[in-house]
Amino acid sequence: MPEPTGDGLAVTDTAAPATEDPRADDDLAPPDELPVTASEAAREESSGGFTALVIAGLVFIVAGWLLPWFVEQTSNGIGYSAQDAVSSPPTGIGTIVVYLIAVAMVGLVAFALYDLVRGIAHRGRPLRWWRGRAALAILGAVGTLVVWLLIGVLREEPLFGNISSLAATDNAVWMTLTGFVVLALAYGLRPWVVTHGEVAFGGVVFMIGALMPFIFNQSSSFIEWGASAAAIYTLLALGLNIVVGFAGLLDLGYAAFFAIGAYTCGSLASPVHGLHFPFWIVIFIGLAVAALFGAVLGAPTLRLRGDYLAIVTLGFGEIIPDAANNNLFNATGGPEGITGIDHPSIFGFNFGIDAKFYFWSLLIIIAIVLVLLRNIQRSRLGRAWAAIREDEVAAAATGVNPVTTKLLAFSIGASISGLAGAFFGAELGSVTPDSFQFAVSVTVLSTVVLGGLGNNTGVAAGGILVSFIIFWMLDHLQEWMGTFGLKFGLPALGTIDYSRWVYIVYGAILVGIMLLRPAGLLPSRARKSELQAGGQTEALAVVQGRV
Amino acid sequence: MPASADATAIGISADPSPTLMARIRDVGRLLNRAFPIIIVAVLILMIGLVAGRSGGTTAAAEVREGLTIGAVYALIAVGYTMVYGIIELINFAHGDVFTLSAFYAIFIAEFQPFGFNLNSLATSGPLGFFGALAILMPLTMIAAGLTGMLIERVAYRRLRTAPRLAPLITAVGVSFIIEGFLFATQGSTNVRTGKAGWLPGNAFTAGGVVVSWHDIFVFFSALVLMFLLQAFVRLTRLGKAMRATAQDRDAALLNGVNINRTISATFFIGSALAAAGGIIYSVKDDLVVWNLGFRFGIIAFTCAVLGGIGNIVGAGVGAFLIGLIQVFGGQLIGSAWDNAIIFAMLIIVLVVRPVGLLGMRVADRA
């Protein structure tokens, strides 16, 4: 977009291709000084989707490669005999084949990496020499499979069978394979990916997400609780993003609505009050009740300036767990909370305590929410939110009703939190007040800030990242560091209580991101241009409907 | 709200007959005007109820309790109100500076270079107490003040022109960093400050109410510090610079005020007073815990809002009122509802009279 940023870089960027092969430019904007059009904007946005796909693929490949080594380093070598297959290479006729394919794979990854770096260096503009990469990527995918099969065969160990001894290798294969499939998709369907980046990236994320229980079929503890908890956090982050990112209202008590949803679910589908509503109705009731509370809290306070709102929501976020803890109206069960909540069932099939089914349902819900949010953001209401966020007085002067608009943001955000809460209650089977402390609100907020205020894709990515850190890394950090410490002669590493440092990490994330990348890791276009050009482009973007 | 309010003000309202919304607005305006009277009336009613239920002695003892806790709130609230007044930021980390300085005070008081420490000095007698205080107070206040300046320099200064949300989020982050630091180094349980024996004994007993020396110390040291602060802000050059910066930063800059230094000084003073609060709290209650500042911070902010944010005297008045309301509300409803009472109070104040009791700022900017 040469016009709005106008920082010279874009101009040199568009001037260069003319000297190169012009035919290859078919997926590029015409290299002239046209004013910004919606299609060009969409294209530029989408090349980000392509970059993201390539990054995702590379991360999966490299993580898959490193996983056996990592497991070896951290697990004391118990129960992971298969990683020996990596450290002691196979012998005989297969060796050459294995190494050839391995070299090809490394070369391919290096290639994609170079492509990526070049793409980023060129400010995300699509490159012109992508053709033929798809074939290589597919080859890589097949190659991975072959290598691992060969390793398995040569070691006379079944690759996908003997679960207990092959855990790490099996996960590694699936991860690497997934990475190559993603790369193959990205390069193979590049023209389509470039114009439909968001959809493509979303599709791939959901594909990987849905396959998670199979990719990590060995690390059951992660998938059992981690993945569905991650999905709930992602849902919460998406909801909070409406309030903080879209409408610019700081909500520091978001966990309150989460609690309201969970307690609604607990009251309507448990033996406590003898009510047993079907779960799929309960989540909508939870949603509606949370939205109602959002409106009730918001109606009187949204007239105030933004940071007062932050304090009011903070107070509300403290009152709700307190009220639950004090057994308000004898309905919340006090500190013990509500137990025995019904698990959901669909067509007579009960989800029980198998986290997989909750995870898949949540994935579907997140997909629906994402599509809805995308549409809302581009609707009249979404633009009104942007206008309010940027300048409330100006927005009011041009006919946006600030109170209604803010109230809607607040209510819609709360309703998503309520929905997540209902799910949370049904999955755990119990709700207690201490699940909804201030730390939850701050975690969700740091997720939103980290991912990129106002950008759904970024926030969803932030949700995945933060929950990965919380539910998986922190769980294992103690054990990992202990083993690392023993291996490298630093036993002191294992004696540190890492759970104690969580708060500092959250705080540092909030401060660091705000200072270094105020718009988050994946900033929304509006925020990015706002920071580059002091807000004028934002207005332009809103007017042109690009936000 | 601004648009509609202006529209009614200049008389272009489309519908001249009083609608429901207009009636609500009228009631709201009335409540707004009468708010100081209402809040005092409610407080007197609460005191009366407690006196009627549990006897006058209990009520009087609760008044003492409310005033001493209010004194601690007052010293914290001043920091909030000063910072908010000057850069319009809710300094979330301020409550944690209070906790942090209580831990500074523990460290300083237990530091033992010459075979004795401040704790042993303070317990040696009245003179020893004042001697220990004269050493501990300035040291802790300077340490806390420097911490406050550091926080401002690192986390807020770069974001002074950023969107309002940005420094608020870093403030939450700094709060988490301080709490995390205390949690990691001091543990998750209550820590004894060792100042319980600093001021033993009771001063007098009036009508069955025991007033101990540390009650008097807490109450009057807060008052003295508040008066000193007020005098400082009113009478000194730096105080004048602060007031100028709070009123109009650009105009102050044009008149030769060094904005950065003034804001740093504000943080220094605010944090130093929070440190004083930390010390008097240690003398009063003896137990501190890593996340104490979270609750105290929000309550103190409520006090600042109640009194009228940006107004130092207002912060003091609000703090004593909140202290009393908390204590009597706890008596009437149950102390488990302490937080809920205070936050409900905050919401009510913000809804009915956002400018607070003594505030004059118009609180409708986005």
Side-chain angles (χ1 to χ4, degrees):
Chain A
M1 39 186 277
E3 219 70 64
T5 49
D7 51 7
L9 252 166
V11 179
T12 53
D13 212 25
T14 45
T19 60
E20 291 176 26
D21 181 8
R23 279 184 307 120
D25 265 331
D26 53 2
D27 58 292
L28 277 181
D32 54 19
E33 303 287 328
L34 281 175
V36 178
T37 62
S39 66
E40 192 190 340
R43 190 167 297 155
E44 173 144 324
E45 188 174 3
S46 309
S47 76
F50 175 78
T51 313
L53 269 192
V54 174
I55 292 177
L58 288 177
V59 165
F60 262 85
I61 293 168
V62 174
W65 284 349
L66 294 181
L67 188 65
W69 173 81
F70 185 71
V71 169
E72 185 198 21
Q73 292 302 312
T74 54
S75 69
N76 292 324
I78 303 160
Y80 290 97
S81 64
Q83 45 80 28
D84 297 343
V86 185
S87 47
S88 59
T91 49
I93 186 79
T95 319
I96 298 163
V97 182
V98 169
Y99 277 119
L100 275 181
I101 297 174
V103 167
M105 288 197 316
V106 173
L108 188 66
V109 168
F111 212 44
L113 206 59
Y114 171 65
D115 194 20
L116 187 71
V117 170
R118 223 195 103 152
I120 290 170
H122 285 246
R123 303 175 61 83
R125 293 186 67 81
L127 296 169
R128 285 165 298 282
W129 42 284
W130 55 272
R131 289 187 181 77
R133 214 77 47 74
L136 280 176
I138 293 166
L139 182 71
V142 177
T144 318
L145 196 60
V146 172
V147 171
W148 292 109
L149 277 174
L150 277 175
I151 292 174
V153 169
L154 291 169
R155 306 236 349 131
E156 297 182 341
E157 282 168 5
L159 192 58
F160 301 112
N162 192 351
I163 284 167
S164 64
S165 66
L166 284 161
T169 317
D170 209 358
N171 285 345
V173 177
W174 283 112
M175 277 178 77
T176 318
L177 205 62
T178 313
F180 273 109
V181 170
V182 171
L183 270 192
L185 279 178
Y187 280 107
L189 302 173
R190 178 151 183 171
W192 185 81
V193 170
V194 162
T195 46
H196 299 84
E198 229 173 76
V199 180
F201 186 66
V204 164
V205 168
F206 278 98
M207 191 188 75
I208 296 177
L211 292 176
M212 279 288 248
F214 303 114
I215 297 176
F216 290 99
N217 59 347
Q218 313 299 345
S219 322
S220 59
S221 68
F222 170 61
I223 195 62
E224 288 284 300
W225 294 110
S228 59
I232 284 181
Y233 260 83
T234 307
L235 197 55
L236 283 176
L238 285 173
L240 185 62
N241 188 33
I242 300 175
V243 186
V244 185
F246 292 0
L249 309 164
L250 186 56
D251 184 345
L252 289 173
Y254 198 58
F257 303 114
F258 187 45
I260 287 168
Y263 271 99
T264 307
C265 171
S267 308
L268 294 179
S270 77
V272 176
H273 303 297
L275 295 171
H276 292 280
F277 281 87
F279 174 73
W280 306 104
I281 294 174
V282 167
I283 55 172
F284 284 103
I285 300 178
L287 183 148
V289 171
L292 188 72
F293 267 90
V296 167
L297 177 71
T301 50
L302 283 169
R303 294 178 297 123
L304 303 168
R305 45 190 306 164
D307 33 16
Y308 277 17
L309 181 73
I311 289 290
V312 169
T313 51
L314 175 60
F316 185 65
E318 292 297 302
I319 291 177
I320 291 294
D322 261 21
N325 204 25
N326 294 336
N327 203 357
L328 184 70
F329 307 132
N330 282 327
T332 59
E336 285 82 35
I338 297 176
T339 49
I341 300 173
D342 301 344
H343 292 300
S345 62
I346 191 165
F347 304 125
F349 172 76
N350 196 313
F351 281 15
I353 53 163
D354 193 341
K356 273 205 285 288
F357 299 108
Y358 296 95
F359 175 60
W360 280 327
S361 329
L362 280 166
L363 268 189
I364 294 170
I365 288 178
I366 289 174
I368 295 170
V369 166
L370 271 175
V371 171
L372 287 179
L373 286 186
R374 197 179 128 105
N375 289 346
I376 290 182
Q377 202 180 1
R378 292 174 181 189
S379 72
R380 192 183 165 80
L381 180 60
R383 297 200 211 301
W385 283 339
I388 290 280
R389 183 186 69 212
E390 294 310 322
D391 190 334
E392 188 172 336
V393 177
T398 43
V400 175
N401 182 342
V403 176
T404 323
T405 312
K406 287 199 226 169
L407 207 55
L408 272 172
F410 213 63
S411 275
I412 294 175
S415 68
I416 291 183
S417 186
L419 176 72
F423 240 98
F424 179 76
E427 181 179 354
L428 248 60
S430 67
V431 285
T432 50
D434 55 0
S435 317
F436 310 105
Q437 297 302 329
F438 183 58
V440 176
S441 300
V442 170
T443 311
V444 178
L445 179 67
S446 53
T447 306
V448 173
V449 172
L450 183 76
L453 283 168
N455 178 17
N456 285 324
T457 321
V459 167
I464 295 168
L465 184 70
V466 169
S467 4
F468 178 77
I469 294 172
I470 298 173
F471 298 113
W472 196 59
M473 233 172 85
L474 286 179
D475 269 5
H476 293 82
L477 197 61
Q478 197 76 49
E479 171 196 336
W480 293 344
M481 294 313 274
T483 324
F484 267 120
L486 287 179
K487 287 219 163 121
F488 296 105
L490 290 167
L493 278 181
T495 59
I496 302 168
D497 183 359
Y498 291 97
S499 62
R500 293 191 156 211
W501 298 88
V502 180
Y503 286 98
I504 296 192
V505 171
Y506 283 167
I509 287 175
L510 285 176
V511 176
I513 293 286
M514 266 298 136
L515 290 179
L516 302 174
R517 265 185 92 87
L521 293 180
L522 294 173
S524 70
R525 291 175 48 74
R527 296 256 164 197
K528 205 155 57 178
S529 55
E530 202 177 302
L531 288 165
Q532 278 167 2
Q536 292 205 341
T537 18
E538 159 65 8
L540 193 67
V542 172
V543 171
Q544 293 182 338
R546 285 186 287 120
V547 181
Chain B
M1 181 191 115
S4 57
D6 291 351
T8 19
I10 54 174
I12 53 162
S13 177
D15 185 10
S17 67
T19 57
L20 180 66
M21 280 311 289
R23 287 226 181 94
I24 292 175
R25 213 170 290 142
D26 284 348
V27 172
R29 213 166 290 149
L30 192 69
L31 280 175
N32 185 332
R33 297 242 177 82
F35 187 69
I37 302 165
I38 293 172
I39 195 164
V40 171
V42 167
L43 191 61
I44 291 171
L45 183 70
M46 284 164 96
I47 297 177
L49 278 175
V50 170
R53 205 165 67 175
S54 325
T57 314
T58 316
E62 295 294 333
V63 169
R64 179 205 62 194
E65 196 56 40
L67 289 179
T68 48
I69 193 73
V72 179
Y73 293 157
L75 288 176
I76 310 172
V78 167
Y80 275 105
T81 214
M82 286 174 75
V83 167
Y84 198 91
I86 205 158
I87 54 171
E88 304 204 326
L89 164 76
I90 298 174
N91 182 11
F92 255 98
H94 190 63
D96 299 300
V97 171
F98 160 78
T99 330
L100 188 65
S101 51
F103 281 101
Y104 284 161
I106 296 177
F107 178 78
I108 295 170
E110 288 175 356
F111 185 63
Q112 197 157 350
F114 312 113
F116 76 100
N117 60 26
L118 290 180
N119 277 334
S120 53
L121 178 66
T123 45
S124 65
L127 208 62
F129 169 75
F130 284 109
L133 204 63
I135 300 170
L136 180 67
M137 208 71 145
L139 284 180
T140 315
M141 283 170 81
I142 289 169
L146 292 177
T147 311
M149 278 169 73
L150 180 75
I151 292 170
E152 192 270 334
R153 184 72 193 81
V154 173
Y156 305 147
R157 186 172 294 183
R158 283 177 55 169
L159 297 170
R160 211 174 282 160
T161 54
R164 300 180 64 96
L165 209 55
L168 205 52
I169 290 171
T170 47
V172 175
V174 171
S175 162
F176 257 60
I177 291 177
I178 297 178
E179 286 189 12
F181 171 74
L182 292 176
F183 181 65
T185 56
Q186 309 292 328
S188 59
T189 49
N190 281 324
V191 175
R192 288 211 163 277
T193 61
K195 297 183 186 61
W198 276 40
L199 205 54
N202 297 328
F204 57 88
T205 310
V209 182
V210 180
V211 177
S212 65
W213 280 115
H214 59 69
D215 290 333
I216 292 180
F217 163 70
V218 166
F219 185 72
F220 283 100
S221 54
L223 276 191
V224 167
L225 284 166
M226 301 278 291
F227 275 116
L228 286 178
L229 175 70
Q230 184 68 2
F232 176 81
V233 171
R234 288 286 146 202
L235 301 177
T236 64
R237 232 179 121 73
L238 188 57
K240 196 188 240 177
M242 282 176 186
R243 283 180 290 138
T245 312
Q247 272 183 11
D248 189 330
R249 198 189 299 161
D250 295 337
L253 186 66
L254 288 175
N255 282 292
V257 174
N258 185 336
I259 301 293
N260 282 339
R261 211 169 61 198
T262 310
I263 292 175
S264 277
T266 308
F267 271 85
F268 184 91
I269 295 170
S271 306
L273 285 173
I279 293 173
I280 70 169
Y281 178 80
S282 308
V283 173
K284 177 179 172 295
D285 271 17
D286 194 39
L287 286 177
V288 284
V289 66
W290 62 283
N291 59 1
L292 185 74
F294 173 65
R295 193 167 156 262
F296 269 69
I298 304 171
I299 295 175
F301 180 77
T302 310
C303 304
V305 171
L306 176 65
I309 195 132
N311 186 323
I312 293 169
V313 178
V317 172
F320 288 114
L321 279 177
I322 290 282
L324 291 171
I325 287 170
Q326 178 193 338
V327 169
F328 281 98
Q331 271 285 317
L332 289 172
I333 308 177
S335 57
W337 292 93
D338 266 11
N339 283 348
I341 293 168
I342 288 166
F343 297 132
M345 188 73 215
L346 172 70
I347 295 177
I348 292 169
V349 175
L350 285 179
V351 170
V352 176
R353 193 174 158 111
V355 295
L357 291 177
L358 306 179
M360 278 161 293
R361 281 170 178 279
V362 185
D364 61 4
R365 276 173 46 194

